Amino acid sequence: MSDLDANIAKALTYLDRFKETGVLNRIGGQDRAANSGATFDNNSPVDEGFLCRVARSDASDIDDAAQAAYDAFPAWRDITGAERKKILHAIADGIVARAEEIAFAECLDTGQAMRFMQKAALRGAENFRFFADRAPAARDGQSLPSPTLMNVTTRVPIGPVGVITPWNTPFMLSTWKIAPALAAGCTVVHKPAEFSPITARILMEIAEEAGLPPGVWNLVNGFGEDAGRALTEHPKIKAIAFVGESKTGSMIMKQGADTLKRVHFELGGKNPVIVFDDADLDRALDAAIFMIYSLNGERCTSSSRLLVQSNIAEEFIAKLTERVNNIRVGHPLDPATEIGPLIHKTHFDKVCSFFDIAREDGATVGAGGERVGDTGWFVRPTLFTNASQDMRIANEEIFGPVLTALTFDTEDQALEMANAVEYGLTGYVWTNDLTRALRFTHGLEAGMIWVNSENVRHLPTPFGGVKASGIGRDGGDWSFEFYMEQKHIGLAMGHHKIPQLGL
Ligand code: NAD
């Protein structure tokens, strides 16, 4: 049996139980079908084969989950930070123990390649450990004495929160949003993406097995327009942490207006990698390729626009083309695979539509630009050349293994092109000129910038975007700023003069 066949057999064993029960909701510590009994089918992006049924929830399921989170909130808020730390570390231990199951399930459910998903499960555990360690100090504040008062601040958890996640690396992203919420003392209703529900369910099971009290974390499956919408509109839900498309973020803001929701948005990107002629070009090439073709290009921080200085462009793009043509497209569970299938047909159709858009707009398809095979949602890694910044392929988020290469002559031109899109999530700058790096990063409109590096995540640093790429930051203490309220308490130090009226 080949490695691939062995992996497929193993993955199917892990998913077997979902064939029988489907993916159920979990509300107040109970397994629950949708109140209406409705389900939808979850199919694999590899061959469109049936994986499992999933509860198709609506507003009444969300109402039950919000009530459970509301009821569980006071007790979870009031246990000590040390207790929360212990439970969150136990969740991390549970993730590590089931890392293989999580990775295999994620591959079949999302089409992401095994080489990346193995690490995604372990990174999820790290997210829990990081916020577990911060839980005991989450409420700490400042002492700000004035001449008459001892002013102190403290933080309190905002209340039950809704977490809505997308289908790209859904496991890792769920841990990234939910761990800080729990560490802060919030209770959670999680609505995972309809296209990739399996690992959210495994994660929920791990959490309760680790000792998380019932109702502290509730899972409701379903579509964005019904379950997702109801969550954003629910009066008992105090805040929505959302990761997804910019246009969905805009809808959520409107939906949450009547109940004055606090929102935190991690949205789309069209991130530039800018390569100057003085850079270490071999490393720049490796990083540019990794940041767009890893994770099927379904990555918010992908470097989907290459801006390369004209005098080195021909050679750089020739080397790039050769490497892109070598990237291995295949079954996500094949250890050799570098790119798996895209998540589902609608997304596949969207990505493929850009092959024609590029040609119609006058760009060249320098590599790829076609489907691979007849079943499943595989596309060849694609490179567009001879493009200009006014083309759709240089402005719109394609969210697949598709790179648009552009050239520039001067630093000013590069900055103008880099900033010319509506998004501002990340930027990658390659230069060995220190003052240029300082100047350029200062002018670049992005929430996160790496110089001479691919995206290397460090959990204490802020994660998030500007412009249409998001509102708010995750990571470090920034996560707690979202999930907690600041409280000020002023204590008189003596008998200061109180203004007297009506004497
Ligand atoms: P999406 O916006 O279509 O869906 C995300 C989630 O929102 C899903 O769970 C969906 O069911 C839900 N949803 C949809 N409509 C809703 C509504 N009206 N009300 C409430 N919930 C609703 O996004 P997607 O296609 O699943 O994910 C891809 C997008 O996510 C890309 O744009 C990508 O850049 C972005 N993303 C951003 C980050 C980041 O950190 N900035 C990280 C990962 C993905």
Side-chain angles (χ1 to χ4, degrees):
M1 199 191 267
S2 69
D3 282 352
L4 172 59
D5 289 339
N7 283 350
I8 293 173
K10 204 184 263 184
L12 292 175
T13 320
Y14 282 133
L15 294 191
D16 238 12
R17 68 189 182 104
F18 292 113
K19 280 238 155 78
E20 279 174 27
T21 59
V23 178
L24 294 168
N25 295 335
R26 183 99 181 151
I27 298 175
Q30 306 284 322
D31 280 342
R32 298 259 300 262
N35 289 336
S36 67
T39 60
F40 62 93
D41 285 356
N42 179 29
N43 296 320
S44 170
V46 178
D47 54 8
E48 303 156 61
F50 174 74
L51 287 178
C52 55
R53 279 173 295 111
V54 186
R56 184 175 175 175
S57 316
D58 58 25
S60 85
D61 306 282
I62 288 289
D63 193 42
D64 291 350
Q67 186 63 47
Y70 182 81
D71 293 343
F73 176 63
W76 182 246
R77 176 194 60 200
D78 292 340
I79 68 163
T80 64
E83 267 300 304
R84 276 202 293 279
K85 173 177 174 178
K86 212 163 90 188
I87 294 174
L88 264 59
H89 271 296
I91 296 175
D93 294 341
I95 293 172
V96 173
R98 288 172 75 173
E100 184 185 85
E101 175 189 355
I102 292 162
F104 277 61
E106 195 89 316
C107 289
L108 270 195
D109 206 9
T110 66
Q112 293 286 357
M114 178 53 104
R115 65 172 64 221
F116 302 118
M117 286 309 98
Q118 267 160 338
K119 290 175 201 140
L122 297 176
R123 269 193 62 192
E126 283 312 308
N127 290 337
F128 268 93
R129 292 204 197 286
F130 178 80
F131 288 108
D133 288 339
R134 289 187 168 233
R139 289 173 194 190
D140 289 1
Q142 296 183 35
S143 147
L144 302 162
S146 66
T148 53
L149 294 161
M150 171 52 73
N151 296 292
V152 292
T153 70
T154 183
R155 285 194 300 202
V156 291
I158 190 168
V161 298
V163 174
I164 302 178
T165 46
W167 44 257
N168 65 317
T169 61
F171 183 81
M172 208 288 292
L173 285 171
S174 302
T175 62
W176 178 233
K177 306 307 282 186
I178 293 171
L182 297 177
C186 295
T187 52
V188 172
V189 177
H190 179 204
K191 208 298 281 171
E194 49 271 49
F195 297 118
S196 58
I198 293 177
T199 53
R201 170 70 204 195
I202 298 173
L203 180 59
M204 166 91 239
E205 292 168 2
I206 291 172
E208 287 191 352
E209 279 161 20
L212 196 73
V216 170
W217 178 344
N218 307 276
L219 173 70
V220 182
N221 289 283
F223 294 157
E225 58 268 28
D226 36 45
R229 182 182 181 113
L231 184 57
T232 62
E233 291 174 343
H234 202 285
K236 288 202 164 76
I237 297 293
K238 296 296 163 209
I240 294 287
F242 169 73
V243 186
E245 282 190 45
S246 302
K247 66 175 189 306
T248 315
S250 162
M251 282 195 278
I252 289 175
M253 202 173 237
K254 291 187 194 112
Q255 292 162 196
D258 284 347
T259 49
L260 296 173
K261 287 282 182 297
R262 179 183 290 184
V263 292
H264 183 180
F265 289 161
E266 290 181 7
L267 310 173
K270 188 72 178 178
N271 311 298
V273 49
I274 304 108
V275 183
F276 287 98
D277 60 4
D278 63 3
D280 181 331
L281 297 179
D282 290 337
R283 286 176 66 76
L285 184 66
D286 285 343
I289 293 171
F290 176 73
M291 281 311 303
I292 181 65
Y293 297 110
S294 60
L295 299 175
N296 299 348
E298 295 167 325
R299 176 178 198 153
C300 55
T301 54
S302 73
S303 56
S304 50
R305 279 186 302 152
L306 167 69
L307 313 189
V308 57
Q309 202 152 15
S310 313
N311 55 336
I312 54 162
E314 196 178 330
E315 196 182 339
F316 194 86
I317 290 174
K319 285 185 184 165
L320 172 64
T321 309
E322 195 184 332
R323 292 273 294 277
V324 175
N325 282 325
N326 275 340
I327 292 175
R328 290 181 293 271
V329 179
H331 195 293
L333 290 170
D334 185 336
T337 292
E338 292 171 317
I339 292 188
L342 299 176
I343 181 82
H344 58 77
K345 182 173 186 315
T346 319
H347 186 55
F348 168 86
D349 287 343
K350 174 189 156 181
V351 171
C352 291
S353 73
F354 279 93
F355 303 153
D356 289 336
I357 291 169
R359 290 187 190 99
E360 281 157 20
D361 285 355
T364 305
V365 179
E370 60 187 15
R371 169 176 204 169
V372 179
D374 299 326
T375 46
W377 311 122
F378 297 88
V379 295
R380 205 164 286 298
T382 298
L383 173 66
F384 297 138
T385 55
N386 296 319
S388 57
Q389 187 51 51
D390 56 353
M391 293 180 182
R392 285 182 63 188
I393 53 170
N395 286 280
E396 295 178 28
E397 185 184 46
I398 300 173
F399 216 56
V402 181
L403 175 61
T404 300
L406 305 143
T407 59
F408 67 86
D409 292 322
T410 65
E411 183 185 321
D412 284 349
Q413 232 180 357
L415 188 62
E416 198 184 317
M417 287 163 79
N419 288 341
V421 295
E422 64 176 291
Y423 297 105
L425 189 58
T426 64
Y428 306 90
V429 186
W430 286 86
T431 178
N432 276 321
D433 178 338
L434 176 62
T435 40
R436 170 152 63 197
L438 285 170
R439 209 167 40 231
F440 202 86
T441 52
H442 181 71
L444 191 55
E445 293 167 0
M448 297 170 281
I449 302 171
W450 281 269
V451 178
N452 297 332
S453 175
E454 81 285 27
N455 168 350
V456 181
R457 183 84 188 102
H458 180 50
L459 295 178
T461 60
F463 186 102
V466 301
K467 295 158 74 177
S469 289
I471 296 175
R473 294 293 180 272
D474 263 324
D477 201 54
W478 288 278
S479 298
F480 288 154
E481 278 183 14
F482 175 68
Y483 288 119
M484 302 183 87
E485 294 279 21
Q486 286 286 344
K487 199 184 262 191
H488 159 248
I489 303 152
L491 303 140
M493 289 195 290
H495 294 93
H496 63 274
K497 187 168 164 36
I498 300 176
Q500 294 177 315
L501 304 181
L503 280 179

